[in-house]
Amino acid sequence: MLKSLIHGAALTELLIEGHNPYARQKLNTETADALRQHIHTPDSLLAYVCGREVLAGSGVFALTQEKFLAYHASTRTVSTVAINQIRQAQAVRGKYGHTVRIHTESRTYAMYGVDKSLAGAMHQALLARGITSSFEDKSPRGTLWNAYSGPHPSVDDCLLDARQRLLAA
């Protein structure tokens, strides 16, 4: 009950409008600090997406030249997978925004409520690394949120900011 009062507008936007208002954002300090521990020079960030993991809350998927990283906000942990263990990836429009699935040799990582543009950037980065990836280039189902949501940073601004912050020591 308390969570719905605190996050009521965001939950309404996610459940009714099918849009996650936190999907296109710059990485927060806690997430950047957790990811930075797993990215070492000369490795660098290629793309990331923010969204929600089923039954696990918010999270971030990040792709570097060498690794796939999954940050789980509820437990404040990072799962790492070597990029050569990724078999395929897909980004499809779902009920709450785009859903990104990363299939590895041992499991599937999935996140919903992802921004379409950040998912597209992840798709392009995966293709550039030679990984089979599909991307459903469809607009969100609801459009009312456009009129009421504040300005969001561009994808390029998000990626540039994240790259700079993840390289900082």
Side-chain angles (χ1 to χ4, degrees):
M1 176 76 172
L2 183 60
K3 281 191 177 192
S4 67
L5 291 174
I6 294 171
H7 306 289
L11 289 174
T12 300
E13 199 167 338
L14 183 64
L15 296 174
I16 295 174
E17 268 300 299
H19 169 72
N20 181 356
Y22 305 112
R24 189 185 304 174
Q25 65 178 348
K26 295 179 179 179
L27 295 177
N28 64 36
T29 303
E30 181 179 297
T31 303
D33 290 345
L35 292 174
R36 188 180 309 113
Q37 296 175 19
H38 299 276
I39 302 174
H40 308 289
T41 307
D43 198 10
S44 63
L45 181 74
L46 299 175
Y48 75 92
V49 294
C50 302
R52 309 221 23 111
E53 294 180 272
V54 176
L55 301 176
S58 63
V60 173
F61 288 172
L63 184 71
T64 71
Q65 295 174 353
E66 300 174 3
K67 301 174 199 162
F68 166 74
L69 306 167
Y71 173 71
H72 316 283
S74 61
T75 59
R76 296 185 175 128
T77 59
V78 177
S79 301
T80 62
V81 176
I83 201 162
N84 62 359
Q85 292 183 356
I86 299 174
R87 294 182 183 231
Q88 76 175 60
Q90 58 188 165
V92 296
R93 183 185 69 181
K95 187 174 181 180
Y96 306 114
H98 270 66
T99 298
V100 173
R101 291 183 190 91
I102 305 291
H103 305 279
T104 68
E105 294 175 358
S106 59
R107 68 173 279 198
T108 297
Y109 295 86
M111 183 174 290
Y112 67 95
V114 170
D115 178 70
K116 173 187 166 190
S117 299
L118 285 174
M122 170 97 43
H123 164 71
Q124 292 299 323
L126 288 162
L127 287 177
R129 303 300 297 163
I131 297 168
T132 303
S133 180
S134 62
F135 177 71
E136 190 173 52
D137 191 11
K138 291 184 179 177
S139 298
R141 292 182 181 174
T143 57
L144 186 61
W145 62 271
N146 278 327
Y148 297 104
S149 64
H152 295 287
S154 72
V155 172
D156 292 334
D157 286 345
C158 289
L159 291 173
L160 181 62
D161 178 71
R163 286 180 184 125
Q164 290 173 347
R165 292 175 66 208
L166 292 174
L167 289 177

